[in-house]
Amino acid sequence: DTGVSQDPRHKITKRGQNVTFRCDPISEHNRLYWYRQTLGQGPEFLTYFQNEAQLEKSRLLSDRFSAERPKGSFSTLEIQRTEQGDSAMYLCASSLSGGAASDEQFFGPGTRLTVL
Amino acid sequence: GDSVTQMEGPVTLSEEAFLTINCTYTATGYPSLFWYVQYPGEGLQLLLKATKADDKGSNKGFEATYRKETTSFHLEKGSVQVSDSAVYFCALSDRGGGFKTIFGAGTRLFVKA
């Protein structure tokens, strides 16, 4: 089963450090999404790509956050100068555009970030 | 903007009890509606979905009907099991919003044997 994978699954870092997360979507999916989930809340949209183009960014995505999807395959999410408030689960999802199922997203297991 | 509101938890039920988790939404377009489930230690899984008014989504004994007139998508199950203990998220996805998914805050369900 080649679902959405994320790496690492857990990351502990000190405040002020930079971290980078990777997401590998389902291979034929052209849309890729990043969400953030804090304890007791639902996931919140951060950004999404169609192929390699980043089409939308949430206001939640401060200047310290940057996401890329080179060549329209895997994606990376980098957080610079981490803050304790960045501690959360970062979720990646992918979908295939077009047709009736184009709104169905498949989620990865997430990367849990703890900033000390 | 679009939003989803669902009943607060936790909800605690005995095995074989009837389950309802209320969900209402606000959307400017014609969204698709979803219920996702998150079991302890696992990722989000799509439980069921409905893409237009009056559609009923169903899976694993769970059902929800897309009610445009009341902007609701309540989740129901006739007889819950201990294995249904999880967090349930109501969500919507709007073509006009690039298909990003807007989630409710989640409702934690505990089922006692």
Side-chain angles (χ1 to χ4, degrees):
Chain A
D1 178 8
T2 55
V4 179
S5 61
Q6 293 186 245
D7 184 71
R9 295 290 304 275
H10 303 274
K11 178 70 177 179
I12 300 174
T13 191
K14 292 182 179 179
R15 189 177 53 182
Q17 298 294 305
N18 299 343
V19 294
T20 301
F21 310 141
R22 177 180 170 125
C23 170
D24 286 89
I26 293 171
S27 58
E28 64 268 25
H29 285 183
N30 58 347
R31 286 202 178 122
L32 187 148
Y33 303 78
W34 285 100
Y35 295 84
R36 180 172 67 189
Q37 185 179 17
T38 53
L39 200 61
Q41 298 298 316
E44 296 173 295
F45 169 78
L46 293 178
T47 188
Y48 95 96
F49 294 83
Q50 178 146 326
N51 301 312
E52 65 274 11
Q54 188 173 18
L55 296 186
E56 187 174 349
K57 292 195 291 187
S58 163
R59 285 186 293 257
L60 293 175
L61 215 63
S62 77
D63 292 345
R64 297 184 297 105
F65 288 70
S66 61
E68 295 182 343
R69 194 183 182 198
K71 303 178 183 177
S73 56
F74 72 92
S75 176
T76 58
L77 177 68
E78 181 183 18
I79 308 174
Q80 296 182 328
R81 305 181 303 281
T82 52
E83 301 173 356
Q84 288 184 325
D86 297 331
S87 295
M89 178 76 85
Y90 290 84
L91 298 170
C92 176
S94 69
S95 69
L96 181 63
S97 65
S102 59
D103 53 359
E104 183 170 341
Q105 296 175 19
F106 295 81
F107 282 80
T111 295
R112 182 169 295 284
L113 172 66
T114 302
V115 181
L116 302 177
Chain B
D2 295 355
S3 66
V4 174
T5 303
Q6 60 183 107
M7 64 187 285
E8 289 188 23
V11 173
T12 303
L13 296 174
S14 298
E15 210 165 20
E16 298 183 4
F18 185 86
L19 169 71
T20 300
I21 301 178
N22 290 337
C23 171
T24 57
Y25 68 91
T26 302
T28 52
Y30 300 93
S32 295
L33 302 176
F34 306 87
W35 278 100
Y36 283 86
V37 59
Q38 193 168 35
Y39 297 103
E42 297 186 16
L44 276 171
Q45 301 175 27
L46 180 64
L47 180 60
L48 54 85
K49 73 173 194 177
T51 57
K52 60 183 187 299
D54 300 325
D55 268 3
K56 178 185 283 188
S58 61
N59 185 26
K60 300 181 181 179
F62 291 88
E63 292 183 340
T65 301
Y66 191 143
R67 300 286 189 201
K68 192 170 186 296
E69 64 277 12
T70 55
T71 61
S72 65
F73 193 55
H74 304 321
L75 182 68
E76 297 182 335
K77 186 175 186 183
S79 175
V80 293
Q81 305 300 312
V82 172
S83 58
D84 293 327
S85 298
V87 181
Y88 293 82
F89 294 93
C90 185
L92 68 82
S93 175
D94 194 338
R95 180 184 299 270
F99 292 109
K100 64 179 179 286
T101 305
I102 307 296
F103 289 86
T107 303
R108 183 174 294 278
L109 170 66
F110 292 104
V111 181
K112 303 180 297 184

